[in-house]
Amino acid sequence: MPGRAAPVPVADHGAASGAGTGKRAARAVPAWRRSLRPYLLIVPALLLTGGILYPFGLGLYYTLFDFAASKPQPDLVGLGNYRRIFTQPAFWDSARVTVAYAVGAAAVETVLGVAVALLLHRSSLVGRVLEKVLILPLMIAPVIAAIMWKLMLQPSVGVINHLLEPFGLGGVQWTDTPTGALLSSIAVDVWVYTPFVAILALAGLRSLPASPFEAAAVDGAGWWFTFRRLTLPMLWPYVLVAVIFRFMDSLKVFDIIYALTEGGPGDSTMVLQIRAYLEAIRFQRYSFGISYMIVLWAVVYLVTMVLVRYLGRIQNRAAEVAR
Amino acid sequence: MKRGLLSVVADLALIAYFVFALFPVAWMVVLSLKPTNELFSTYFSFTPTLDSYRTVLGAGDDQGVPFLRFFVNSLVVSLGAVALSLVIGLPAAYAAARWRFRGSENLMFTLLSFRFAPELTVIIPLFVLYQQLGLFDTYVGMVWVLQLVTLPLIVWIMRSYFSDLSPELEQAALLDGYTRKQAFFKVALPLVKPGIAAVSLLAFIFAWNNFVFPLILTSSNAQTVTVGALSFLGGDRPKYNLTAAAALVSVIPPLLLALTIQRYLVRGLSFGAVKS
């Protein structure tokens, strides 16, 4: 509806229109003021949005210079920062670590979250009791969760190795080996965010229509067939929302890695946001650090668009299955 | 018989997951009750003491970490961020739900993009900007930047609540001679009150749990618990019991609030994409 604000469902008649119904309106509001109304309502939000977009624009502008604490008079370098990023092995290492982290975390959380949701959906006594505390890890700040796990994973005095000792598995160097550090940080992510997937999947399970399942039961369909052909296709839109959120969030992970490993050992957990942080804040190479973030932002933006399109298609298909 | 066995196995699997989910918190309780001299000598047998809590909530430890002050800071900036988002976000959400006009969808999607934007893209320029504007390490600076977290959430969820509301009620009010403003305040707003309460609490939790903003944009005056909790880990002999106590103290508010909004979580966590 270009041009003027068209009231969607509510016709906004300044003066009471329904002839003879009720009292007359206190005063008629002129038409030009009526069409302005929605704009007046969103002006504050627009101003604030501008306040966030301004630093973003400023950041984009900085990336065209070699702005750093060591260079108070920055030179214009055009796309030099980006050229430097793409020709550095460090960037590609970070990109690999970031994708490995995001894929690993999102995959484990999805499988585990859906499994927990299916188990809770059976609504056994045990399940009903446990469901009350399902969201607990999700409400703990990720950085605090990482601190907790750091204490527990400490090789010599941590409780995890102590508990493993009877099984002859003591002394594991959890966060001190490259693979171990990456897996440990993914484990913390899984600990915090599995409830997120489980909650959405559980909401999905509880909203599925009953009739297809009754029909399948009458036909004597087995559990596996019902799950594959009915439950999963109808549940997939809900799960996909969770997967999109988790995958996008894991691409920009910061808190967990910062508290658990700070990108180490070596560069084994040096995800993009951590590297940008070290570049910009610790080494004060502002332009270079922001350039890293602009690249990540562009990737996140593109991936989001693709996934949201896919989600729309899936939702339509699920609606057909439900029919 | 077979069915009975299966459901026992299923329950055991559930219990296994919940042990994984709850053990870290339980272990923090144990650690926080340990006296410093028994910290590394025993695991389960020790004389419990509340000393760690006294240290953390008192004047700070020997390094003088003013944790209680961080706690107050977290409260102030989280409340401030939610309040500002409500004042700005509710009218915008209502407008976006009731009218289609040029720019409304663009605004909504710009706000949604905030939710997925890597935080440092905005924070690093803000770090430079705040130094110049004198907003570095201030409440105002923190409340402003936390809008990135709270505003998209509040606008998106509240739009979905307003859209679920039948417009006929407001229409009836208009016919009764109410002005638009009165219809909003006296009819629409009271009907979405539960939604407002839930989304405000959720926004508060996310603001409280935020780490990267205070890490970069504060140093001491406006520092929050999420950053402060890390201070006990410093040094060559990390104070495990103090760290555990600080961690537990800092998760109490979000956990208490979360228990009150269980019913509303699905819509909130999925930005209105999934309604339960």
Side-chain angles (χ1 to χ4, degrees):
Chain A
M1 290 276 189
R4 7 185 297 277
V8 182
V10 189
D12 179 6
H13 306 292
S17 63
T21 51
K23 298 166 289 192
R24 286 196 55 81
R27 60 199 161 78
V29 181
W32 64 270
R33 274 198 36 202
R34 276 212 307 278
S35 60
L36 268 181
R37 191 171 276 131
Y39 292 103
L40 292 177
L41 288 174
I42 62 163
V43 160
L46 283 176
L47 284 177
L48 205 137
T49 309
I52 300 291
L53 290 177
Y54 173 70
F56 178 76
L58 192 68
L60 262 174
Y61 175 74
Y62 284 153
T63 62
L64 305 176
F65 294 84
D66 57 355
F67 179 36
S70 58
K71 287 207 62 167
Q73 296 297 329
D75 297 320
L76 182 68
V77 293
L79 297 177
N81 283 316
Y82 296 101
R83 202 172 305 123
R84 226 174 98 202
I85 284 178
F86 289 124
T87 52
Q88 269 191 345
F91 166 78
W92 297 104
D93 282 349
S94 268
R96 260 194 300 276
V97 171
T98 306
V99 171
Y101 181 96
V103 171
V108 177
E109 280 152 25
T110 304
V111 174
L112 193 56
V114 172
V116 169
L118 286 167
L119 290 171
L120 286 172
H121 189 53
R122 293 163 40 256
S123 194
S124 63
L125 180 63
V126 173
R128 281 199 300 274
V129 173
L130 291 177
E131 196 188 321
K132 292 191 170 33
V133 289
L134 175 65
I135 58 159
L136 190 113
L138 185 60
M139 293 296 140
I140 288 175
V143 66
I144 302 283
I147 291 172
M148 290 179 173
W149 282 92
K150 195 185 177 111
L151 299 185
M152 297 195 304
L153 290 168
Q154 218 286 329
S156 52
V157 293
V159 70
I160 300 217
N161 276 353
H162 177 76
L163 291 174
L164 289 175
E165 231 160 89
F167 306 99
L169 289 167
V172 182
Q173 301 287 315
W174 293 103
T175 52
D176 299 341
T177 63
T179 315
L182 187 60
L183 291 179
S184 299
S185 48
I186 289 176
V188 177
D189 201 291
V190 166
W191 183 77
V192 176
Y193 290 106
T194 296
F196 176 83
V197 182
I199 286 169
L200 291 193
L202 197 55
L205 284 169
R206 283 177 180 160
S207 66
L208 296 185
S211 57
F213 293 94
E214 286 157 5
V218 170
D219 294 342
W223 176 87
W224 179 240
F225 180 88
T226 311
F227 178 73
R228 279 253 344 258
R229 290 303 166 85
L230 290 175
T231 316
L232 212 50
M234 287 197 279
L235 191 62
W236 193 231
Y238 292 91
V239 177
L240 198 61
V241 169
V243 172
I244 290 175
F245 270 81
R246 287 312 315 133
F247 184 71
M248 307 315 304
D249 280 351
S250 312
L251 282 177
K252 59 186 181 104
V253 61
F254 182 87
D255 308 16
I256 290 174
I257 306 264
Y258 182 92
L260 197 71
T261 65
E262 265 208 76
D267 276 359
S268 59
T269 52
M270 190 63 77
V271 291
L272 285 163
Q273 279 227 106
I274 296 283
R275 196 181 286 280
Y277 167 82
L278 294 177
E279 283 289 345
I281 306 295
R282 202 149 298 172
F283 310 135
Q284 302 192 308
R285 294 191 281 255
Y286 307 121
S287 285
F288 197 53
I290 300 170
S291 306
Y292 258 103
M293 292 321 304
I294 297 289
V295 172
L296 177 60
W297 170 80
V299 171
V300 166
Y301 198 86
L302 288 172
V303 175
T304 311
M305 292 234 297
V306 172
L307 285 176
V308 169
R309 264 212 196 112
Y310 176 61
L311 175 67
R313 282 219 308 275
I314 291 286
Q315 280 177 328
N316 293 338
R317 202 173 307 157
E320 278 165 31
V321 175
R323 260 181 251 127
Chain B
M1 188 63 234
K2 186 166 166 241
R3 186 148 288 272
L5 186 70
L6 265 179
S7 84
V8 169
V9 170
D11 278 344
L12 284 176
L14 262 186
I15 289 168
Y17 168 76
F18 278 92
V19 167
F20 163 70
L22 301 177
F23 177 78
V25 182
W27 184 245
M28 288 307 118
V29 176
V30 172
L31 270 185
S32 68
L33 295 173
K34 271 192 177 187
T36 305
N37 57 5
E38 290 181 81
L39 205 46
F40 301 117
S41 53
T42 66
Y43 275 91
F44 302 104
S45 57
F46 58 90
T47 349
T49 165
L50 289 174
D51 281 353
S52 296
Y53 291 94
R54 273 188 211 105
T55 310
V56 165
L57 296 175
D61 65 337
D62 43 22
Q63 303 162 349
V65 179
F67 197 73
L68 202 56
R69 176 163 182 184
F70 297 156
F71 195 89
V72 173
N73 288 349
S74 278
L75 267 179
V76 172
V77 298
S78 304
L79 282 173
V82 172
L84 182 61
S85 285
L86 283 174
V87 170
I88 289 172
L90 281 175
Y94 184 68
R98 284 290 179 255
W99 288 280
R100 292 225 184 291
F101 53 95
R102 191 184 299 176
S104 72
E105 286 306 299
N106 290 344
L107 173 70
M108 292 302 291
F109 278 101
T110 306
L111 284 171
L112 187 63
S113 75
F114 288 173
R115 165 70 185 70
F116 291 114
E119 296 86 350
L120 287 163
T121 318
V122 171
I123 299 187
I124 301 170
L126 271 182
F127 173 73
V128 177
L129 206 61
Y130 273 17
Q131 309 268 17
Q132 296 163 352
L133 297 174
L135 287 172
F136 180 78
D137 201 22
T138 61
Y139 285 159
V140 174
M142 275 302 293
V143 166
W144 180 263
V145 76
L146 280 171
Q147 294 306 308
L148 257 177
V149 176
T150 53
L151 188 69
L153 184 77
I154 285 178
V155 173
W156 268 82
I157 312 297
M158 287 323 298
R159 178 173 77 158
S160 95
Y161 275 110
F162 282 128
S163 297
D164 287 354
L165 211 58
S166 164
E168 277 138 32
L169 294 159
E170 287 147 76
Q171 226 156 358
L174 291 173
L175 290 176
D176 277 348
Y178 276 46
T179 61
R180 256 267 164 218
K181 201 187 282 179
Q182 287 170 319
F184 171 70
F185 279 108
K186 292 189 173 156
V187 181
L189 220 46
L191 285 168
V192 294
K193 241 192 207 138
I196 296 176
V199 77
S200 304
L201 291 181
L202 196 60
F204 178 91
I205 291 169
F206 286 148
W208 179 281
N209 285 346
N210 189 285
F211 170 70
V212 69
F213 298 146
L215 175 74
I216 295 174
L217 299 175
T218 70
S219 57
S220 56
N221 293 328
Q223 199 178 104
T224 63
V225 283
T226 44
V227 182
L230 278 168
S231 6
F232 298 103
L233 273 174
D236 39 4
R237 295 226 56 179
K239 303 172 180 65
Y240 278 32
N241 47 359
L242 297 186
T243 307
L248 283 171
V249 169
S250 58
V251 300
I252 287 168
L255 287 186
L256 286 181
L257 295 180
L259 293 175
T260 64
I261 53 167
Q262 292 251 31
R263 278 181 47 229
Y264 300 90
L265 269 176
V266 169
R267 197 193 291 231
L269 292 172
S270 66
F271 260 57
V274 175
K275 294 174 186 174
S276 58

